[in-house]
Amino acid sequence: MTAYGPRLDDSRLDLMGKTHAMLMSRLLPVVAAAFTLVAVLAACTQREGGAVSIMRSNDGAPSVAVTWCDDSPPRQITVFIEERESEKPVAKFTTAKGRDHFTWLDPKSPGSDWILLSGDALLVPGVTYRLMAWPDAGKDMSYGQVSFTLADFDDLKPGQIAGGYPGENFTRSGFIRYAQDVCR
């Protein structure tokens, strides 16, 4: 007997050491994996720097609206459209002509400010698409993403931009304010 309780013999100490070693050998890979996952997720997290949505242009064409929060426009804006279920890329566009916190793209007729980098902008009825946009290389910031079908454009009047909820629509200035709220 010691002042701290019964004396442990070597066999009990050896058993406790082996049990501790076994628990640690099982626990360490789990802890290491958890730390790795946290590090990867932290590295992949992009801050919201604006917003992207579908819109009906003033001439009635189904289009994409992009807005950003920074006062100066990004050097480059990329818009990417893919089929949502299969994640099959449909089209990728880029422009260096963003101004006044807003730009828009008509995928069928992109205009001289936009370059089609890959794909074909032909959108088919009945397919759900995912629309994404980001500035520059897209590593640190995103303008978000939104899912849509061609039928979603039926609810929009010329100049309207779809909001985040069914029936919620924005004007250009309302869309810019919405994005600035997202960035705060």
Side-chain angles (χ1 to χ4, degrees):
M1 185 74 142
T2 69
Y4 301 105
R7 182 169 188 77
L8 298 174
D9 61 28
D10 287 341
S11 64
R12 289 184 73 190
L13 283 174
D14 189 45
L15 179 62
M16 287 175 57
K18 288 179 182 176
T19 304
H20 181 346
M22 184 177 70
L23 286 173
M24 291 306 290
S25 70
R26 290 183 181 168
L27 185 61
L28 281 177
V30 172
V31 171
F35 278 117
T36 302
L37 180 62
V38 168
V40 167
L41 290 176
C44 292
T45 302
Q46 296 176 322
R47 67 183 178 94
E48 290 292 321
V52 63
S53 191
I54 60 170
M55 70 174 282
R56 186 166 293 281
S57 67
N58 288 332
D59 66 358
S63 301
V64 174
V66 181
T67 184
W68 52 91
C69 301
D70 293 336
D71 287 332
S72 58
R75 290 187 311 271
Q76 178 181 353
I77 299 168
T78 302
V79 171
F80 182 75
I81 304 169
E82 70 180 7
E83 289 184 12
R84 190 179 76 187
E85 298 302 318
S86 67
E87 297 183 359
K88 175 185 165 195
V90 174
K92 184 176 182 180
F93 295 89
T94 190
T95 187
K97 301 289 186 181
R99 39 188 162 314
D100 298 328
H101 294 273
F102 184 83
T103 191
W104 66 277
L105 161 70
D106 174 351
K108 280 187 178 178
S109 179
S112 61
D113 289 349
W114 288 91
I115 299 168
L116 176 63
L117 296 175
S118 63
D120 178 3
L122 177 66
L123 303 179
V124 181
V127 175
T128 301
Y129 296 96
R130 180 180 298 127
L131 168 66
M132 296 171 267
W134 58 86
D136 304 320
K139 293 179 183 174
D140 301 322
M141 187 183 305
S142 168
Y143 295 148
Q145 59 180 300
V146 64
S147 295
F148 71 95
T149 66
L150 286 179
D152 294 331
F153 288 98
D154 295 342
D155 298 331
L156 298 172
K157 295 177 184 161
Q160 283 188 324
I161 301 167
Y165 301 100
E168 177 185 40
N169 299 319
F170 295 113
T171 62
R172 176 180 163 163
S173 61
F175 186 57
I176 292 170
R177 279 192 306 276
Y178 163 77
Q180 290 171 342
D181 287 344
V182 168
C183 295
R184 290 183 191 160

